[in-house]
Amino acid sequence: MPYLLTQSIIARHMKLAFCDCILEAASRQLWRDGKIVPLEPKMYELLEVLIQRSPNVVSNNELDELLWPKVYVARTSLTRLVSELRSLLGDSPREPRIIRTVYKTGYAFCATLNWSESTSRSAAFVSLLWNDQRLPLPDGDHIAGRGVECSLLIDAVTVSRRHARFTVKSGRVVIEDLGSKNGVCVDGMRISQPTQLTDGTEVALGSAKLRVRAVDPAALTAKADTSFSAGSEERR
């Protein structure tokens, strides 16, 4: 029976570090040497299932079922996908540090894993809300668009392949239109130059609307006013 990805050990609030890479499950992003590595969806799924099953070997047949369900693919498709993923991870089939080949059987994740909270308590706090999804925005540049190489994948017909760039630094967010066909609007106004965003700002990439959320982790939870209930008790 195929392994269920929903039963993942990669919890939505976790990040996993191995070799010089960090995998953030919540944003489905892979970082290497401090830079985002563009992963195609199939590559991400392959890496995720190998990590989930590590250190066990995942057979070629099972990987085919998971990655291409109900579709016949040649064995070379999996071989090519593994090769491309290794290249992005800086791994080698002859001296594997991350993905080990088990001859005529399958593959296994062989790197040492370390995991922790995916979002630093001191770092923010910035995210985008789109179609009931929360897209975290850690410090750095984030390209939004329909292209699989984008770190913010917005799969909508009015969104360009590389539509806009979000730049985040210490909680400050700036958006820039990358020459998109349908433009970028901030609170209903189309922009032509880099524009700073704040908590609650609505951003439209074509007709796809996103909402900025910026939370101060140092903010204290407000204490509830219990005077009414206390007074009610005294009157009983």
Side-chain angles (χ1 to χ4, degrees):
M1 179 178 179
Y3 187 79
L4 297 178
L5 296 183
T6 53
Q7 297 175 345
S8 171
I9 64 168
I10 309 177
R12 281 296 177 186
H13 64 285
M14 300 294 280
K15 69 177 180 180
L16 295 96
F18 54 93
C19 297
D20 57 354
C21 300
I22 295 176
L23 180 66
E24 294 187 346
S27 59
R28 293 175 65 92
Q29 289 181 329
L30 177 71
W31 297 74
R32 184 182 171 206
D33 288 333
K35 297 180 180 179
I36 293 178
V37 177
L39 285 183
E40 295 180 2
K42 292 295 183 188
M43 287 187 193
Y44 180 90
E45 292 171 17
L46 172 61
L47 178 59
E48 186 178 46
V49 73
L50 290 177
I51 290 175
Q52 290 166 356
R53 298 288 290 275
S54 67
N56 297 331
V57 177
V58 187
S59 71
N60 293 325
N61 289 338
E62 188 171 0
L63 286 171
D64 284 345
E65 288 185 42
L66 288 169
L67 298 172
W68 296 280
K70 299 181 180 180
V71 176
Y72 172 78
V73 293
R75 174 63 62 233
T76 54
S77 297
L78 178 59
T79 303
R80 183 173 59 254
L81 191 65
V82 171
S83 177
E84 292 172 351
L85 178 58
R86 276 181 171 143
S87 179
L88 290 177
L89 297 175
D91 199 18
S92 167
R94 294 188 176 183
E95 298 180 359
R97 300 178 303 133
I98 300 173
I99 299 175
R100 177 171 62 91
T101 299
V102 182
Y103 184 60
K104 290 188 176 181
T105 302
Y107 299 92
F109 187 89
C110 59
T112 300
L113 284 170
N114 296 290
W115 54 84
S116 61
E117 293 294 328
S118 61
T119 305
S120 170
R121 298 292 183 183
S122 59
F125 20 102
V126 182
S127 60
L128 295 172
L129 299 181
W130 175 64
N131 281 358
D132 297 324
Q133 297 181 55
R134 179 179 175 273
L135 308 175
L137 292 180
D139 278 11
D141 289 343
H142 308 272
I143 304 299
R146 286 192 297 112
V148 294
E149 72 277 9
C150 294
S151 55
L152 294 173
L153 187 59
I154 309 297
D155 190 10
V157 294
T158 59
V159 174
S160 297
R161 185 175 182 84
R162 288 171 56 87
H163 199 110
R165 177 187 292 109
F166 291 84
T167 300
V168 184
K169 185 175 181 180
S170 302
R172 182 175 180 268
V173 189
V174 173
I175 189 172
E176 177 184 0
D177 190 351
L178 296 179
S180 63
K181 180 178 180 180
N182 293 308
V184 175
C185 292
V186 174
D187 284 336
M189 299 293 293
R190 186 158 181 167
I191 64 171
S192 58
Q193 58 186 5
T195 302
Q196 185 169 345
L197 308 176
T198 58
D199 180 43
T201 298
E202 182 185 84
V203 176
L205 309 182
S207 62
K209 295 185 178 180
L210 305 91
R211 181 78 62 178
V212 177
R213 283 289 176 259
V215 179
D216 182 358
L220 297 176
T221 302
K223 184 177 180 180
D225 183 0
T226 59
S227 57
F228 176 79
S229 58
S232 299
E233 287 292 331
E234 291 174 359
R235 287 193 295 271
R236 288 181 181 177

